[in-house]
Structures are given as structure tokens and as C-alpha cells.
Amino acid sequence: MTTFSFDGEEVTAEPGQSVGAALLAAGYRSWRTTRHGGAPRGLFCGIGVCFDCLVVVNGRPGLRACLTEVRDGDVVSSQEGAGRDHLAC
Amino acid sequence: MDVLVIGAGMVGAACAYHCAAAGLRVTVLDRGGVATGTTSGGEGNILVSDKEPGPELDLALLSVRRWRILGERIGADRLELEHKGGVVVARSAPALAGLADLTGRQRACGVDAVDVTAGDLPALEPNLTRDVTGGAHYPQDMQVQPMLAAAALLRAARDLGATVHTGTEVRGFLFGRDGAVTGVRAGSGDRAAGWVVNAAGTWGGEVADLAGAPLPVLPRKGFVLVTEPLPRVIRHKVYTADYVAGVASDDAGLETSVVVEGTRAGTVLIGASRERVGFDRRMSLPVIRELAAQAIGLFPFLADVTLLRTYLGFRPYCPDHLPVIGPDPRVPGLVHACGHEGAGIGLSAATGHLIAQTLTGATPDLDLAPFRPERFAA
């Protein structure tokens, strides 16, 4: 089994599973809020096209949860908007 | 007099709007949809900064004034027209010397060009690399969403009585006994018109051929990269001093000189490559890589940003890099408004204004001689 954390909670996954699949299997349906309006988002297309399931993995925002393979010890966290507010100017 | 405009892109829309506003009866035909040809592959640049002194700069200065008026009349929001200004960055001493020479000559022509030291650039663009020699700030540069703007101008033209027919291809011209154009043969039937305006963008040469008045309008391929949506991370249109040299170049091979800008939608657009390879729509990974690398050179944070997609377009260029604007003396009744290369969005407002002035018998705000259609005749 692979173990990672999501917003501080420990989550287990099958080896080779995507972050999105693991989160869904663990009962999470959303892990991002939209840039305008803050509406919840999670898996939509599930195949890398729609960019709806963006998530922060090990500090890197904007990753597609459906295409990102989860690794043991990953620190996954919810993403607010573009996840790059520190760059705003 | 009735005016028929061929092309529902940005230039055709600007011609239609200005002609309708001048009281002319306007019909627009396009074989595709609104803004689905040349306009769809563009970035929405309205630039004075990248123009050497000369007729194109004069046209650009007029166009900046006309875009401001369009923004006031139609609503800047409806066009996504932003008075964001441009910043040109030099990254070597020779590049900075060339840029300072250019800004001096541009200022003499009425361009608002402010030389900026390397130390003052971060205040303009906080996320810009610190590895710069200096730059220039051009407050007159603007940005527009080209497809939105073309649609908004066509809608405004329709409110003034114009009609727009998409999916209607022009297959030939109709002539009177005196050889003057009397209309066109279109997919939906013959249409009479006193003036036919060729605003067919990169396909302007094909339309001119149909009328028996050849024009050397050729495609120059250019890629644009689109990043994931971000907060506002880039304030101006930012490009390197090499861009001006690239725009004016006659080199047939691949050239890239990066232009980076944010958009209202949040995506960052990265241009601009130039290749003369005909209408070759193939994707090219080496070009994308080169543009991305240059963009990261200007804005290091982009290294961690995902590209969502790329698109490409064909910029309609003439051998002397000037557009073709005005009546064609070879075929009375035929009027051209095409061949604007990569500046068609920016130059469209002035082009439409000048065409309307010409067709209503007014004195054009600008001498059209440098843009005359017959200048290519051997």
C-alpha cells in the first residue's frame, strides 16, 4: 500500500493509483475551488483534458489529480483558485 | 452606395462597422464563421512599440486613437480592450543601444516611449527576470480579445443596419460593361454592390485573383502558447528587443522572439514564431520548446507553469511588410483592406476608419499612397 497525506489526513492508495482515484476512493469528491466564486471542483473528465481536478502535490500547484501518480509520502493539499496567489501583482 | 465586405474577421468587422456608422449600406460575407480565419490565430496585439518610423507606425498611431474611440462607443469590456501598455526588455548592451535608438526615433513621430533602467523594470513587472540590461515602457500599447472584438463590432454594425452572412463563399466577381465591379457571385447567389472590400486576411490574394487584380499576400506561420489560468502575474505586453528585428525580417527560416502577456481569462499567451512554410498546419515541438524557453528566460516563474495548449495562425504578409488599403485602380469598385501581417488586429480600427472615409468621399486622415494596391506591379 501507498500512504500519503491529504490536507493533513492520512490516505492509503493502491500502488500506481492516481491522486484523483485515490482521493475519490477515500471519499473525497472535491479538492479545488474555482478562481471566480470559489465553487468546489474534483474529477470531471478524469482523463487529463478538462483541468478541473487541479491539486497541490508536494507544494506544486496546478497538477491534474487524474494524471498524477501518487507516491508514498506525498503531501497533497487542496488548491484555492489558480494556487499561485503568491505570484499575483 | 452599397458596400459588400468579404471577410468577417477583425479587419472586415472594422470596415463594416465604420462604413455602417458613416451611413453606408453594408453586407458582410464570410465563407466560414465570424473570426474563424486569420483573426482566430492571433493574439490581440495593438502595438505602436514594435514599429519602426514610417507608414505602418503612422497607421498604428491612428489605430490606437481609433481603438480608444471604439472602446468608448462599444464598451471596453465588450471588447476585452485593455490599455495595459507594453514593456520591451533588452538583455544585452547592444540590444539596449538599439532599443534606445528606436525609442528616440519613435518619440520624434509622436510615440509615447519611456526609456527604463534595469533597476526600474521590477516596479513595472515584478515577476520579470532581474537579468536585464534595461528597457522601454510604451503606455499606448493595448490588448484586445480579437474574436470577441470582431463579433462585437459586427454586432454594432448590424445595429446600424448592416447584414452579416456566414457560411457564404465568394466564388467570383460581377463586372459592368465598363469593367467596374458591380457585385460578387456568392454561394447563396449573386449580390450587387457598388464597392467590394477585400478583407479576406491571409486569403486576400485569392480574392484579389478572383477580381483579376493580383496581390502578393502570403502566409507567415506563427505559434502561440497558452498557459493554465493564473492570477494577474504579468501587467503589460512584455517582449524582448529582438522582436522588432524579427517582425521586419525577410528571413524565410524559423525565427522566434518572445512576446508574453496575461489575459483577462487568466491564461498567459506566449508568442511569437515566424516561419514561411505556406499553409502548413502541422504542430512543431521544437518551435514550442524554443518559445517556452525564451518565455521562461523573461519570466522564470513560468518554468513551473503548465501549458494548456498551443495554437497557430497564418499572418498575411506582403513583400514590403505593409498592408494593402484602398481602392484598386486596376478594377474600379474593388477596395482592399488586407495584408496586415501580424498587426492586423491592432491596425484594423484605423483600416476600417480609412476605408469608410474613402468610400464616403472624405479626405482620409492618413495618406494611403504607401498602402496602394498597385505598388507591386512589376
Side-chain angles (χ1 to χ4, degrees), chain A:
Chain A
M1 290 300 272
T2 299
T3 308
F4 67 101
S5 74
F6 172 65
D7 286 348
E9 302 283 329
E10 189 175 291
V11 180
T12 56
E14 300 291 334
Q17 211 167 17
S18 72
V19 172
L23 286 176
L24 203 62
Y28 297 101
R29 296 191 59 205
S30 75
W31 45 84
R32 179 175 76 92
T33 53
T34 57
R35 293 176 296 138
H36 309 290
R41 289 291 185 274
L43 284 181
F44 181 62
C45 78
I47 55 171
V49 176
C50 75
F51 286 74
D52 238 12
C53 65
L54 301 178
V55 70
V56 183
V57 180
N58 300 326
R60 185 168 176 194
L63 292 175
R64 285 166 282 182
C66 67
L67 293 189
T68 305
E69 189 176 319
V70 71
R71 287 165 306 178
D72 209 41
D74 273 348
V75 178
V76 177
S77 44
S78 302
Q79 177 169 327
E80 283 182 34
R84 298 180 192 271
D85 286 347
H86 62 290
L87 290 171
C89 65

Side-chain angles (χ1 to χ4, degrees), chain B residues 89-149:
Chain B
V89 179
R91 303 189 67 192
S92 69
L96 184 60
L99 181 60
D101 172 62
L102 178 65
T103 57
R105 289 183 291 117
Q106 288 172 324
R107 276 191 292 270
C109 301
V111 174
D112 191 1
V114 185
D115 295 333
V116 182
T117 64
D120 286 338
L121 278 170
L124 286 169
E125 284 295 341
N127 290 318
L128 185 70
T129 175
R130 298 299 186 260
D131 181 19
V132 291
T133 315
H137 180 214
Y138 291 89
Q140 288 161 310
D141 284 355
M142 293 187 267
Q143 181 172 330
V144 73
Q145 211 287 22
M147 286 167 281
L148 195 63

Side-chain angles (χ1 to χ4, degrees), chain B residues 25-99:
Chain B
R25 278 174 38 137
V26 179
T27 304
V28 181
L29 305 184
D30 196 294
R31 65 180 173 186
V34 170
T36 52
T38 312
T39 298
S40 69
E43 277 182 283
N45 287 329
I46 304 173
L47 302 182
V48 296
S49 54
D50 67 337
K51 314 260 185 315
E52 290 277 349
E56 199 190 8
L57 179 57
D58 297 339
L59 188 63
L61 284 165
L62 174 63
S63 218
V64 161
R65 293 198 295 276
R66 299 308 308 185
W67 270 113
R68 285 187 180 277
I69 293 168
L70 287 175
E72 286 160 17
R73 282 192 198 162
I74 292 170
D77 276 355
R78 288 179 62 195
L79 308 169
E80 286 193 16
L81 179 68
E82 295 182 81
H83 303 279
K84 56 165 43 178
V87 169
V88 182
V89 179
R91 303 189 67 192
S92 69
L96 184 60
L99 181 60

Side-chain angles (χ1 to χ4, degrees), chain B residues 11-27:
Chain B
V11 173
C15 289
Y17 171 75
H18 286 94
C19 286
L24 298 167
R25 278 174 38 137
V26 179
T27 304

Side-chain angles (χ1 to χ4, degrees), chain B residues 4 11 56 62 104 128 176 187 218 222 239-240 256 262-263 323 330 366:
Chain B
L4 191 146
V11 173
E56 199 190 8
L62 174 63
L128 185 70
L218 294 165
Y239 59 91
T240 55
T256 54
T263 65
R330 299 170 296 178
L366 204 63

